[in-house]
Amino acid sequence: MGDLTRDSDRILGDAARVRDDNRTGGRHRREVSIGRGSAKIKKDVWLKRIRNILITLFGIWVAGGIAGLVIDGIGFAGVMAVLVASVVAVAVLSNYPKLKTPRRESLNKGNVQDMVGRTELWLENQRPALPAPAAAIVSDMGVQLDALGLQLEGVDQNHPKAREVRSLVGEQLPEMIDSYRKIPAQLRTEKRGGATPDEQLTDSLGKISGEIDSITRQLAEGSLDDLAIKHRYLDYKFGEGAETTPQLEHKD
């Protein structure tokens, strides 16, 4: 638990250091993935593609070898056929299986940690349609969701904080972005109730970002408390506390 807390603090620190850079279109905005959760989903897809390519190439070359043994050599034409089949297989399988953007209605399903990763990937695909200030907050939010995911490790799915994350990240966040995207583009910069839809979205995303940070810190507090309790116990057992504990006298 203590390691999770340190990782969470480090990730939150990274978010603070890149925040200004993100908002000016810096290096983090140019990255494909906004967080580790979405990057892992993409990596898993690529690993499946590589596995399928290797299996297919193995099959092609084994088939070519067997054919050569049966007909006493496949000749130049046969070798070229094997090479062409290999190239075609690589070209086709490099795009399969497809990386599917999660549907909004499927975000809040399954394990809460998996939900956080799916939401990151979904947010990446919404980012181009958002105004620049809101897109920058989404980029920062990926790092925050990574920290939140670390703190959710081992947390019971029915824990109040897990349910709170489901509501905030799996429902309120995507619903708000969906509502914004349904507004015609020409109306998004018109003021209504003192603010434009662009401004309302940016303000709401900022509040959600702050709430994600708050939940992460609350979960980390539990880890810190556990660590402090263990430290006090060990200090009592083996440290200064043990030295002041009365010892029984041993009789010869």
Side-chain angles (χ1 to χ4, degrees):
M1 295 296 285
D3 290 339
L4 292 179
T5 303
R6 287 192 293 272
D7 288 342
S8 176
D9 289 341
R10 176 178 54 77
I11 291 174
L12 288 173
D14 291 342
R17 284 191 293 273
V18 302
R19 184 180 300 117
D20 292 339
D21 184 66
N22 288 341
R23 291 175 180 174
T24 57
R27 64 184 184 279
H28 196 62
R29 281 288 299 277
R30 293 193 294 268
E31 293 176 1
V32 176
S33 299
I34 65 172
R36 294 181 180 178
S38 58
K40 181 180 181 302
I41 294 174
K42 296 175 185 178
K43 179 182 176 182
D44 289 343
V45 170
W46 269 107
L47 288 175
K48 289 178 182 178
R49 291 176 180 176
I50 293 172
R51 178 203 62 190
N52 293 343
I53 289 172
L54 292 176
I55 291 173
T56 302
L57 290 178
F58 179 77
I60 290 172
W61 285 91
V62 167
I66 293 174
L69 291 174
V70 172
I71 62 176
D72 195 24
I74 58 176
F76 177 77
V79 172
M80 292 304 297
V82 169
L83 290 175
V84 170
S86 299
V87 171
V88 171
V90 171
V92 172
L93 295 178
S94 292
N95 294 309
Y96 292 95
K98 291 284 188 182
L99 177 64
K100 297 180 179 179
T101 302
R103 298 176 62 85
R104 192 187 69 77
E105 55 270 20
S106 68
L107 292 179
N108 202 12
K109 295 181 180 179
N111 183 284
V112 68
Q113 277 189 297
D114 295 338
M115 179 209 70
V116 169
R118 286 195 300 271
T119 301
E120 283 186 15
L121 186 58
W122 184 84
L123 285 172
E124 285 179 14
N125 287 271
Q126 311 308 309
R127 186 171 48 176
L130 305 181
I137 293 175
V138 166
S139 295
D140 292 338
M141 196 175 290
V143 184
Q144 289 182 304
L145 289 173
D146 286 340
L148 178 60
L150 282 172
Q151 292 302 326
L152 287 169
E153 186 174 338
V155 173
D156 188 273
Q157 298 296 301
N158 293 317
H159 189 283
K161 287 301 175 186
R163 293 198 298 269
E164 190 174 345
V165 170
R166 283 192 181 279
S167 174
L168 182 67
V169 177
E171 296 175 9
Q172 297 176 42
L173 174 58
E175 285 175 1
M176 181 183 60
I177 292 179
D178 258 4
S179 297
Y180 171 82
R181 295 198 62 178
K182 291 176 182 177
I183 300 173
Q186 66 271 21
L187 300 180
R188 294 175 182 174
T189 55
E190 293 186 5
K191 285 203 172 185
R192 182 179 181 183
T196 66
D198 282 359
E199 293 169 342
Q200 291 172 348
L201 174 68
T202 302
D203 182 62
S204 297
L205 284 174
K207 291 176 180 176
I208 289 179
S209 174
E211 188 60 25
I212 290 173
D213 184 52
S214 175
I215 294 174
T216 301
R217 292 182 182 278
Q218 289 173 41
L219 288 169
E221 284 294 329
S223 300
L224 290 169
D225 290 343
D226 289 344
L227 183 62
I229 290 172
K230 290 181 175 67
H231 174 72
R232 287 196 297 269
Y233 170 77
L234 291 173
D235 181 60
Y236 175 79
K237 187 81 172 175
F238 305 109
E240 294 179 0
E243 296 176 2
T244 59
T245 302
Q247 302 292 325
L248 293 176
E249 295 183 359
H250 294 280
K251 294 183 179 180
D252 294 333

